[in-house]
Amino acid sequence: MSAAPTPGEAWGEGPADRLHEPLATVLGARTAGPLAKLGLRTTGDLLRHYPRRYGEPGRMTDMSELAVGEHVTVVARVATATVRQMRSRGGAMLQAVVTDGTHRLALTFFAKRPGVLRVHEDRLRPGRTGFFTGIVSEYRGERQLTHPDYLLVGVDADDESSALAEAGRPVPIYPASASAPTWRVERAVRTVLGPLTPADVPDPVPDDVLLARGLVGLHQAFLDVHEPADAAQAERGRDRLRYEEAFVLQAALARRRSQVAHLEAVPRPLRGPGDGASILADFDAALPFSLTEGQRAVNEELARELALPRPMQRLLQGEVGSGKTVVALRAMLQVVDAGGQAALLAPTEVLAAQHARTLAALLGDLAEHGLLGGREHGTRVALLTGSQSTAARRKNLLDAASGAAGIVVGTHALLGDTVQFADLGLVVVDEQHRFGVEQRDALRAKAERVPHLLVMTATPIPRTVAMTVFGDLETSTLREVPAGRAGITTHVVPADNAAWMARTWSRVREEVDAGRRAYVVCPRITPDDPSGAPSRPQQEDDVPDLLDGLTALDEEAGDDARAPLRAVLEVVDALRAEPALAGVRTGVLHGQMTPADKESAMAAFTAGDLDVLVSTTVIEVGVDVPSATVMVILDADRFGISQLHQLRGRVGRGSDPGLCLLVSRAAPGSPAGERLATLAATTDGFELAAADLEMRSEGDVLGAAQSGRSSSLRLLRVVKDADVIAVAREDAARVVAADPGLDGAPALREAIAERLDGEREEFLDRT
Ligand code: ADP
Ligand code: MG
């Protein structure tokens, strides 16, 4: 192993600083350069760069069977070792030959200057025996190891058996690059880790917690994962580091909860019968349906929390079509009745406009305050989107600022500095997973006292994911869908079966003839759209989806042979030419349209001026057109389970039965075919979410989902490590409760701050 340069005393400002030392200072610019390209800039970065896996240790390879490309360790005697200047490439080279008496193996080292190589030359004295480890390559017909690791008997190890033990260590394999191959990373790690002591490595996990959970300290954990003597030691280190990730995350969330709990909110109690006119009471009286049990229960919960002087922090999970909007509206009206305002945030302009229309329709003349025919104690609904005319926008801004609008609906444009509220009492975020912590905070900052917060999601979230992503929120769940829904039937249609395809379009025709409407969903907008990944609508008003990993399908790479994916603009032409659909009015909706065009397409479809809407997944969340009964999803195998479930939730919302046809080229029994079959078999979103996670065996839900956190979650897998998360959550809550400022745990405080910084950077990158 190469000699470790001893770090100088220049950084000696305090033990914590050791982890922040730039690698360029510790290792020199030449070694640090390629590491920086891996994103590793400080000692701490490098130590947190864990091996991806470990090479099989301890198996001595017979020198007669050295296969090119294999990672081997051989015992051999040095025959020759010479440093040469290389004329052609510049730089120097050390060539050595080792032998077991019969077979030869060349060892090659390169360097800019011969000086570095002299060290090896001096060590590799002919006659010495050593263990040589590396990957076998071939050069001019001879087997060789380039930059092998080696241990010399009598030099690095006292005798052959201790050398054997040393050589028998698992070989860490690091995430690496061409300029920083794994063996270079390994050396760099050893160089920086070697001189560190436990005091140099402040541990975010308090000692008593380590003790209680039987975990090793951070310094030991670094040794365990980077230089394990055996597999069990590596695992011990990984366990501890995995726990730490969960613990820091949960401590961050616990602190957040405790900080918010100490904030003051304006209580917005429900108006009693004796309190005079109530918009909510009038609204309930006019509601054309009765609430489900679940809706009632959640509304009671919300009513209670809104009446408290602490900000409500609640996540409402609901099955698709379970009627979350009404629940939210009733909470909003409670706040308006109490003299405050409510803001409703939607992820897209299409949804915001739809919400404004729905609320206005549900409220009727209660939403026409100040207008002729409006109720004197009514309110107004203002819509604020980026695409409005200046005049409309100005009027709505004024209504929000004066308080004339009790309810303000918009996209994240509502977060803009120009939007003022008279008295914002409640923020409702629809389809929450597109809004991160940052956005929640930005909106909260809009009121003098913290407004109550209700976030809603139709993506069922497994408990541990909820604990991790939304760990600062309490959760309510709506499982039931209102009675009287005819429900939805799902079939898989093989795309290459002409008869089935013809039947598909004639089914659409039948529905249209009966006065109903259809969606046709495609994975792409134009035929030459290279993205082909149907993961998310590309909308200018879209913000990143924190749960993408749950809903979007991993790319099934390398499938060039498959037929091109269907595209909105091509399909709409094909459908207009389809005899079975002659006379059917067909429109398009996709993310490349202007917001105004999107809105008018949606309005035309809602009003019945269009029969068939050909679209991308823009319609995935929340769009509510009860008379739409059929959905045809083309290339359905390209979508993830949760996403398909969301999509089909757009039909069967009224009293007519819904039909979802999943058109696919996927072979039955293939993973994609299995997904579609599962979907056809059940409509329970929670069951599907579980199936979805199971099928993603890797379970790397947060990998893509929360790339903001991917920098801090390296080993933790949110689904697989549910137990670790639950335990860490308990521990973290206890630590934070005992010491809310974490004054006694500076390393933990710092780890949390670094995490948040990472998230913030990530957030800025994505917006
Ligand atoms: P989601 O929970 O998916 O957001 P919505 O709030 O869009 O669902 O509600 C779906 C449809 O069900 C809407 O048309 C809504 O008016 C209707 N709805 C809501 N609650 C009830 C109920 N209790 N009975 C009948 N229909 C309801
Ligand atoms: Mg909804």
Side-chain angles (χ1 to χ4, degrees), residues 289-292 295 319-325 482 485 624 653:
F289 46 74
S290 52
L291 298 174
T292 64
Q295 284 172 318
E319 179 60 271
V320 186
S322 56
K324 294 183 290 294
T325 313
R485 295 270 171 83
D624 185 33
R653 296 171 82 86

Side-chain angles (χ1 to χ4, degrees), residues 521-524 534-535 551-553 616-617 633-644 647 675-676:
V521 181
C522 309
R524 292 193 300 177
S535 53
T551 53
L553 182 57
T616 54
T617 53
I633 304 177
L634 300 174
D635 293 309
D637 49 293
R638 301 296 301 211
F639 302 87
I641 287 187
S642 298
Q643 199 174 17
L644 288 168
L647 279 166
R675 276 202 303 273
L676 300 184

Side-chain angles (χ1 to χ4, degrees), residues 362-722:
L362 280 170
L363 287 167
D365 57 6
L366 288 169
E368 294 169 4
H369 185 63
L371 302 179
L372 216 56
R375 275 326 160 82
E376 78 200 75
H377 66 281
T379 186
R380 284 220 289 269
V381 176
L383 172 67
L384 274 169
T385 61
S387 59
Q388 274 170 332
S389 73
T390 321
R393 188 172 163 77
R394 189 172 302 139
K395 171 168 186 315
N396 287 329
L397 281 172
L398 212 64
D399 278 357
S402 70
I407 296 178
V408 182
V409 184
T411 61
H412 68 296
L414 278 190
L415 303 177
D417 288 337
T418 52
V419 184
Q420 303 284 330
F421 293 86
D423 180 12
L424 181 59
L426 169 65
V427 175
V428 178
V429 181
D430 191 15
E431 308 302 350
Q432 129 80 16
H433 52 284
R434 305 218 176 169
F435 291 87
V437 166
E438 288 287 330
Q439 285 137 322
R440 283 182 230 163
D441 286 352
L443 197 62
R444 271 197 214 117
K446 295 200 101 41
E448 267 172 39
R449 278 200 268 172
V450 189
H452 299 282
L453 176 68
L454 174 66
V455 295
M456 308 197 285
T457 171
T459 306
I461 304 169
R463 209 174 73 87
T464 48
V465 178
M467 269 200 262
T468 308
V469 185
F470 306 119
D472 55 341
L473 307 177
E474 312 291 336
T475 307
S476 309
T477 304
L478 271 184
R479 274 179 172 270
E480 196 183 355
V481 295
R485 295 270 171 83
I488 178 167
T489 314
T490 304
H491 296 291
V492 180
V493 177
D496 48 11
N497 186 321
W500 282 59
M501 285 310 294
R503 180 68 191 129
T504 297
W505 301 129
S506 66
R507 278 297 287 124
V508 169
R509 177 72 207 214
E510 287 161 26
E511 292 299 310
V512 170
D513 284 347
R516 299 187 280 262
R517 300 195 260 293
Y519 298 101
V520 177
V521 181
C522 309
R524 292 193 300 177
I525 299 172
T526 58
D528 49 0
D529 177 358
S531 74
S535 53
R536 283 292 159 192
Q538 301 291 303
Q539 268 177 279
E540 62 287 346
D541 55 351
D542 248 4
V543 287
D545 185 342
L546 290 180
L547 283 178
D548 248 344
L550 266 184
T551 53
L553 182 57
D554 314 310
E555 272 308 279
E556 276 157 33
D559 237 351
D560 293 337
R562 64 199 300 164
L565 299 176
R566 304 305 301 273
V568 170
L569 297 180
E570 156 210 61
V571 167
V572 72
D573 287 341
L575 294 186
R576 284 175 179 151
E578 168 72 41
L581 296 178
V584 168
R585 294 160 303 168
T586 306
V588 299
L589 181 69
H590 59 73
Q592 280 173 14
M593 291 160 65
T594 66
D597 286 349
K598 275 187 276 191
E599 216 168 292
S600 73
M602 211 47 230
F605 186 67
T606 310
D609 297 334
L610 287 175
D611 304 309
V612 173
L613 193 62
V614 183
S615 86
T616 54
T617 53
V618 178
I619 57 152
E620 178 189 342
V621 282
V623 167
D624 185 33
V625 180
S627 52
T629 49
V630 193
M631 174 172 288
V632 180
I633 304 177
L634 300 174
D635 293 309
D637 49 293
R638 301 296 301 211
F639 302 87
I641 287 187
S642 298
Q643 199 174 17
L644 288 168
H645 183 57
Q646 277 294 310
L647 279 166
R648 74 174 167 182
R650 306 304 110 215
V651 297
R653 296 171 82 86
S655 53
D656 297 307
L659 176 65
C660 174
L661 299 171
L662 303 171
V663 179
S664 158
R665 299 187 192 90
S670 67
E674 285 292 302
R675 276 202 303 273
L676 300 184
T678 306
L679 210 80
T682 178
T683 52
D684 183 321
F686 288 86
E687 202 175 301
L688 286 169
D692 198 2
L693 289 170
E694 222 163 272
M695 288 187 202
R696 295 159 191 283
S697 51
E698 265 307 284
D700 189 4
V701 177
L702 286 197
Q706 284 198 288
S707 31
R709 288 169 186 184
S710 63
S711 51
S712 50
L713 294 192
R714 293 153 204 253
L715 300 171
L716 191 70
R717 294 292 170 266
V718 175
V719 177
K720 217 174 83 223
D721 297 324

Side-chain angles (χ1 to χ4, degrees), residues 109-131:
F109 298 80
F110 299 100
K112 274 258 153 53
R113 283 177 305 276
V116 185
L117 299 176
R118 299 274 176 226
V119 180
H120 287 298
E121 187 182 29
D122 187 47
R123 280 160 50 76
L124 291 168
R125 289 194 203 140
R128 279 186 175 166
T129 295
F131 289 72

